[in-house]
Amino acid sequence: MRASNVTKAVALALSVAWVAGCSTSGSDSMSGTETGTDTGTTQGVNNGTGVTGSSMSDVANLQTVFYFDFDKSVVKANGFSDLEKHAAYLAANPSAQVVLEGHADERGTREYNMALGERRAKAVSRFLQVNGASGSQVESVSFGEEKPEILGHSESSWSQNRRVELKYVSR
Amino acid sequence: MKKVFQLLLINCVLLLSSWSSAESDLAIEITKGIDEPTPVAVVPFAWDGNSALKEDVAKIVSADLGRTGLFKMMSPQNMLSFPSKEDQVYFRDWRVSKTEFLIIGRQIAAEGRQIKVEFELYDVLKEQRLLLERVSGTQDNLRDVAHYISDMIYQKLTGIRGAFSTRIVYVTAKQLGQGKVNYRLKMADSDGARPVTIRQQSEPLMSPAWSRDGTKLAYVSFESGKPAIYIQYLATGKREKVQSFRGLNGAPSWSPSGNKLAIVLSKDGNPEIYVLDLNSRSLSRITHHYGIDTEPSWSPDGQSLIFTSDRGGQPQIYRIHLPTRQLERVTFEGNYNSRGRLTHDGRFLAMVHRGIDNVFHIAVQDLKTGRLDVLTDTYLDESPTIAPNGSIILYATQKGVKGVLGGVTLDGNVRFILPASSGDVREPAWSPYLQ
């Protein structure tokens, strides 16, 4: 199904590292064009960390999928940093808008999971608003268990499906 | 849709004549079926036509009766003879095989594709005929004829109205690759046969619910990108959007009077239960709590709603009396009880239940005694729906990696899986009586 931005970022980091590796054997122009699109420099990417260090004005590389525990709607601490950056971006760009799509894993009943998906989306919404986004910039939509990211009946799938996806409608 | 309408409402089965024997009605104790199903034989029906029939009526009747758990059906290969008329019946033969009730029949070709099916029900021990009926149909609706016959036999033997001539609707989801999914709302016979698609789309469909007169469905569709409640008329296929506030619009349930829908809306901040009057379009809020309140379902008398709430910390089922708004908690056993459905006498509550094994099963609670019984041993069971006569609960479950429909009798004694159609099958909803 859809690759999350985290996956994309990892893929990008790997390709950048690969290209950077190539550049040691001499093709500077190539590495410049490959890496210039996102980070603008070949320096500092050899360890892969340069990709996530984007500026506040650029939310393209931030985490956009946030995961939850079973029957819980508490935003986990590992998402705080990027959510704060999304919030700061929204605060700085009043015309920007996001939709928060809340999802649940398949366990439990479907309509209860609709409510749970909404509760998760609203937890992220509150986090964004506390950190500077305005309520009119954030909309929550629940899909319950209807749109799993991963099909499967074990915790490895379920943990990927209990999530909120943050999507920019306008930037 | 016209075809569906005809199947559903007219059903094309006409009872031409009916002359029951004068003997008193015979009712089998339902409880007897629990440990000792009554042995019954349905002999393959004779056919005087030239071309082979598409359906085996006797086989369908036998399967219908067998699924109820009340009867132990004899396989034709164990029968000593195949009588189709009274003078061919030797009761002694059937007594030897311990058969208590015998059904024989004959199918008579009539003009065009018309067909007449005569059947007889015998009490083997008393050597008495209990029923002699003639049903007319066509060669193309023999399944309707068969279910109609099953209904008559079931009623004669148990005193309870049969529910074989009803329909079920359910949702299927078929993965098309690249994240694309085809969602369908389907309707089939109560035994899962003859599925017809009544709605399909690329966004999720969920929570189908029958109106009490069997002419309409309410359901939730994401076709606009957000959940909204629709009503679809089965006869015409016409649809109307009834509710789409900001946030959740879900879990529709028709009132017994047919003019109200209990629904869930989160427009006021979190999921609450509302009753929508379909005539005046007025909305009244029923629950007031910051927790999740969802999955409303009406009591048969229309006086109360049962619903799921996590106000106590985990999902449990509650009942609210509508005139007084008095609230009571109904379920206490288990750490997750949800999506309750009452039997049509209001006595039993079927639900999704998770107990100490942390697996989701279907359970039934006797509201008179409080006793809770787990009925299923399958996995990820959900969406229980009860036959209008209370005989069988259908539910969604997993078989391998596929969603399928399972059935279980209210006593948990007989369990079966309905034939799978393509894609993941989920959310069955059993129709009311349709005739």
Side-chain angles (χ1 to χ4, degrees):
Chain A
M1 297 181 79
R2 285 153 293 169
S4 72
N5 278 8
V6 175
T7 318
K8 282 179 196 156
V10 170
L12 182 62
L14 288 174
S15 66
V16 165
W18 179 78
V19 170
C22 287
S23 70
T24 57
S25 64
S27 177
D28 278 340
S29 61
M30 182 188 161
S31 64
T33 53
E34 286 289 310
T35 58
T37 50
D38 273 286
T39 58
T41 170
T42 56
Q43 297 304 304
V45 299
N46 286 335
N47 60 8
T49 55
V51 178
T52 54
S54 57
S55 71
M56 232 169 58
S57 61
D58 185 5
V59 288
N61 292 322
L62 294 177
Q63 184 181 342
T64 57
V65 185
F66 303 89
Y67 298 96
F68 292 80
D69 290 333
F70 177 69
D71 202 21
K72 293 286 185 293
S73 51
V74 180
V75 180
K76 291 190 185 178
N78 61 13
F80 288 177
S81 161
D82 280 14
L83 279 174
E84 281 164 6
K85 289 178 187 132
H86 284 295
Y89 178 83
L90 289 167
N93 299 274
S95 64
Q97 285 184 317
V98 292
V99 170
L100 300 168
E101 295 182 356
H103 300 266
D105 71 34
E106 63 179 347
R107 290 172 297 167
T109 51
R110 289 178 180 272
E111 286 286 358
Y112 185 81
N113 282 335
M114 282 293 292
L116 195 56
E118 180 178 70
R119 197 187 252 178
R120 286 174 179 155
K122 288 199 164 163
V124 174
S125 171
R126 265 193 307 281
F127 191 100
L128 292 175
Q129 290 179 55
V130 164
N131 286 280
S134 126
S136 61
Q137 290 176 286
V138 186
E139 188 181 1
S140 303
V141 177
S142 177
F143 287 92
E145 63 177 277
E146 306 305 314
K147 288 195 163 185
E149 176 69 27
I150 310 260
L151 295 170
H153 307 302
S154 66
E155 178 55 29
S156 64
S157 316
W158 295 331
S159 63
Q160 298 291 299
N161 292 335
R162 296 187 301 265
R163 69 199 193 277
V164 168
E165 296 187 16
L166 183 153
K167 294 180 177 174
Y168 281 87
V169 186
S170 61
R171 292 208 172 163
Chain B
M1 277 323 296
K2 216 162 203 165
K3 204 170 167 191
V4 173
F5 174 60
Q6 282 167 351
L7 279 174
L8 185 69
L9 294 177
I10 301 171
N11 222 349
C12 296
V13 181
L14 299 171
L15 186 66
L16 284 188
S17 53
S18 156
W19 60 104
S20 301
S21 54
E23 280 81 46
S24 62
D25 267 18
L26 185 132
I28 287 169
E29 284 289 304
I30 295 296
T31 50
K32 190 182 172 189
I34 294 171
D35 297 318
E36 286 178 56
T38 303
V40 175
V42 185
V43 181
F45 288 6
W47 164 232
D48 71 354
N50 296 322
S51 53
L53 293 172
K54 284 189 288 186
E55 302 285 354
D56 183 338
V57 170
K59 195 174 166 186
I60 297 165
V61 170
S62 188
D64 279 348
L65 296 174
R67 269 196 317 280
T68 65
L70 300 175
F71 310 107
K72 186 169 156 242
M73 308 310 296
M74 184 188 239
S75 164
Q77 63 203 37
N78 296 330
M79 295 177 186
L80 297 173
S81 57
F82 297 99
S84 63
K85 290 180 181 151
E86 184 173 21
D87 59 12
Q88 297 167 345
V89 174
Y90 295 98
F91 288 108
R92 190 191 50 225
D93 288 356
W94 300 99
R95 273 199 300 275
V96 166
S97 60
K98 303 222 175 341
T99 302
E100 290 187 27
F101 296 97
L102 173 69
I103 294 142
I104 62 170
R106 48 211 168 262
Q107 304 163 108
I108 302 136
E111 202 175 318
R113 294 183 66 76
Q114 298 287 312
I115 191 168
K116 289 181 172 49
V117 182
E118 292 175 358
F119 72 94
E120 301 175 44
L121 167 66
Y122 288 95
D123 182 326
V124 172
L125 302 178
K126 291 184 183 164
E127 301 194 5
Q128 275 175 356
R129 185 164 66 201
L130 304 176
L131 275 178
L132 167 58
E133 305 273 352
R134 184 190 292 165
V135 182
S136 91
T138 75
Q139 290 188 38
D140 305 307
N141 74 346
L142 283 173
R143 295 199 79 92
D144 292 318
V145 171
H147 293 313
Y148 187 80
I149 291 171
S150 303
D151 284 340
M152 284 196 281
I153 292 168
Y154 184 83
Q155 176 141 17
K156 188 71 189 172
L157 292 179
T158 66
I160 297 166
R161 187 173 176 185
F164 305 106
S165 299
T166 52
R167 299 283 188 276
I168 52 171
V169 296
Y170 52 91
V171 175
T172 65
K174 193 172 185 180
Q175 302 294 328
L176 302 176
Q178 284 150 2
K180 290 191 165 59
V181 186
N182 178 238
Y183 296 92
R184 289 174 184 235
L185 187 59
K186 289 189 176 182
M187 181 164 70
D189 292 359
S190 66
D191 59 0
R194 295 190 298 186
V196 181
T197 297
I198 55 179
R199 170 83 193 164
Q200 63 170 316
Q201 58 189 49
S202 59
E203 292 298 323
L205 283 165
M206 61 186 292
S207 303
W210 288 87
S211 66
R212 294 299 161 110
D213 63 1
T215 64
K216 301 181 282 287
L217 296 173
Y219 55 81
V220 176
S221 168
F222 288 73
E223 63 201 72
S224 65
K226 294 166 192 173
I229 297 170
Y230 291 78
I231 288 177
Q232 181 166 328
Y233 294 81
L234 289 169
T236 60
K238 197 183 124 218
R239 309 162 75 232
E240 59 177 286
K241 194 195 249 187
V242 288
Q243 212 54 250
S244 65
F245 287 103
R246 195 178 167 92
L248 295 183
N249 298 268
S253 172
W254 298 83
S255 67
S257 58
N259 61 346
K260 288 173 184 164
L261 270 186
I263 56 177
V264 172
L265 303 173
S266 63
K267 66 185 183 68
D268 296 333
N270 68 302
E272 301 284 2
I273 293 170
Y274 295 76
V275 170
L276 173 69
D277 186 313
L278 291 169
N279 298 328
S280 67
R281 298 278 153 171
S282 68
L283 202 56
S284 68
R285 182 167 163 179
I286 306 300
T287 57
H288 296 80
H289 195 277
Y290 56 83
I292 290 172
D293 292 326
T294 186
E295 299 170 341
S297 183
W298 296 80
S299 63
D301 63 5
Q303 292 295 295
S304 60
L305 288 171
I306 53 165
F307 64 98
T308 309
S309 178
D310 74 339
R311 59 185 64 200
Q314 50 187 207
Q316 294 289 348
I317 295 170
Y318 294 76
R319 183 201 286 264
I320 188 162
H321 187 243
L322 293 172
T324 62
R325 301 293 161 103
Q326 202 183 341
L327 185 76
E328 72 175 306
R329 182 169 161 181
V330 181
T331 56
F332 293 91
E333 205 175 318
N335 55 37
Y336 192 122
N337 291 304
S338 62
R339 201 184 180 280
R341 291 289 185 274
L342 292 166
T343 51
H344 298 260
D345 57 4
R347 167 87 186 258
F348 296 95
L349 174 69
M351 72 191 91
V352 174
H353 166 85
R354 190 179 67 169
I356 43 171
D357 65 355
N358 266 353
V359 177
F360 291 91
H361 292 304
I362 304 301
V364 157
Q365 186 169 323
D366 183 337
L367 296 183
K368 209 165 171 184
T369 65
R371 182 193 158 115
L372 181 132
D373 286 307
V374 176
L375 301 183
T376 59
D377 59 0
T378 33
Y379 177 65
L380 290 168
D381 304 337
E382 61 180 5
S383 305
T385 181
I386 308 171
N389 64 1
S391 58
I392 297 173
I393 299 170
L394 270 187
Y395 61 99
T397 184
Q398 295 289 326
K399 192 182 178 192
V401 294
K402 256 185 97 178
V404 296
L405 300 185
V408 61
T409 51
L410 217 59
D411 56 37
N413 237 43
V414 172
R415 301 177 186 131
F416 56 89
I417 299 286
L418 283 188
S421 61
S422 63
D424 237 11
V425 185
R426 52 181 73 159
E427 294 201 274
W430 207 313
S431 77
Y433 291 116
L434 298 172
Q435 288 146 324

